Amino acid sequence: DVRLLESGGGLIQPGGSLRVSCAASGFTFSSYAMSWVRQAPGKGLEWVSSITGSGDDTYYADSVKGRFTISRDNSKNTVSLQMNSLKVEDTALYYCAKMPRYGSNGYRHYFDSWGQGTLVTVSA
Amino acid sequence: EIVLTQSPGTLSLSPGERATLSCRSSQSISSGYLAWYQQKPGQAPRLLIYGTSNRATGTPDRFRGIGSGTDFTLTISRLEPEDFAVYYCQQYSTSPFTFGPGTTVDFK
């Protein structure tokens, strides 16, 4: 079974930095693109960032571009999100999500497995 | 950016009734790249439908997705007690990969 376990959330002041990570198991991690999707308290879902299986290509929402960096370590089956210059509006539950494969090397930007999330609170 | 609008915001129904949820897009979604998710309180979202009409593994056949272009619909033929939840549509045709605001299906 696919398992995604996020960690690293917490309370951070505006302008600060935080790194959240996701440990994956139950599938061949390096073969799948991965994403982060966030949900502000009581609000809807927002795609944040994605990374291909090899890590060669990354994608970001405009709201985080230049501040967040997604990365992965295929030897440790982990994907991480480094968040810098945090703003109050970045407060959310951050979900790690697996993206399905398409063909031998492709992927589709929807999310077929999700972790339980890690809460990031940005507040003074 | 493709903006998704979901209606109604809340659908109040009883078990056994049919639910019809709408998702409309500000631009045509190519290749039917639209997904539906279900989220229950305190839980992560769960993929129900992808590619407009393909049920994900484990999705009961009472869930049906249809649509094309800018208009998409999720129907639940006969509501079971476990179906009362929030439903989101998401387009994956064009970055940024946006979600709709959600439709809550609650008990009448």
Side-chain angles (χ1 to χ4, degrees):
Chain A
D1 280 5
V2 172
R3 189 174 183 205
L4 302 171
L5 185 63
E6 301 92 338
S7 61
L11 175 63
I12 188 80
Q13 290 189 336
S17 297
L18 197 65
R19 185 181 184 88
V20 294
S21 295
C22 170
S25 61
F27 63 102
T28 305
F29 182 69
S30 60
S31 295
Y32 290 87
M34 299 293 294
S35 288
W36 289 94
V37 177
R38 68 185 180 183
Q39 186 169 34
K43 302 297 184 182
L45 301 167
E46 180 188 16
W47 168 75
V48 173
S49 182
S50 301
I51 187 167
T52 54
S54 64
D56 288 345
D57 295 302
T58 57
Y59 308 86
Y60 298 95
D62 285 347
S63 58
V64 306
K65 199 173 292 183
R67 300 188 299 122
F68 289 12
T69 303
I70 191 171
S71 62
R72 65 190 295 158
D73 185 338
N74 286 344
S75 69
K76 297 181 179 178
N77 287 6
T78 58
V79 58
S80 298
L81 188 68
Q82 176 67 42
M83 302 181 289
N84 298 332
S85 303
L86 281 160
K87 304 176 181 180
V88 171
E89 53 264 39
D90 294 319
T91 294
L93 188 62
Y94 283 72
Y95 291 106
C96 171
K98 172 180 163 287
M99 293 156 59
R101 288 178 63 173
Y102 177 73
S104 59
N105 255 346
Y107 51 89
R108 288 286 181 255
H109 257 105
Y110 62 94
F111 314 106
D112 60 3
S113 295
W114 299 65
Q116 287 304 304
T118 187
L119 182 62
V120 173
T121 303
V122 185
S123 175
Chain B
E1 173 175 324
I2 295 180
V3 177
L4 300 179
T5 303
Q6 291 187 244
S7 61
T10 301
L11 199 51
S12 296
L13 295 168
S14 300
E17 290 192 297
R18 179 186 185 91
T20 302
L21 289 67
S22 173
C23 176
R24 288 189 170 167
S25 172
S26 61
Q27 304 171 34
S28 183
I29 295 175
S30 63
S31 304
Y33 286 167
L34 187 105
W36 290 92
Y37 302 86
Q38 176 193 67
Q39 188 177 34
K40 298 179 182 179
Q43 295 186 18
R46 169 197 168 199
L47 176 68
L48 291 176
I49 301 282
Y50 63 94
T52 298
S53 60
N54 301 289
R55 282 186 287 271
T57 302
T59 300
D61 59 10
R62 63 180 179 273
F63 290 88
R64 183 185 179 209
I66 61 172
S68 65
T70 60
D71 288 334
F72 298 85
T73 301
L74 175 70
T75 60
I76 311 171
S77 58
R78 289 176 56 86
L79 281 164
E80 297 288 341
E82 62 267 28
D83 299 337
F84 290 86
V86 180
Y87 292 85
Y88 295 96
C89 57
Q90 180 234 337
Q91 65 82 19
Y92 53 100
S93 167
T94 307
S95 180
F97 307 103
T98 47
F99 291 84
T103 290
T104 300
V105 178
D106 66 11
F107 285 98
K108 190 177 197 177

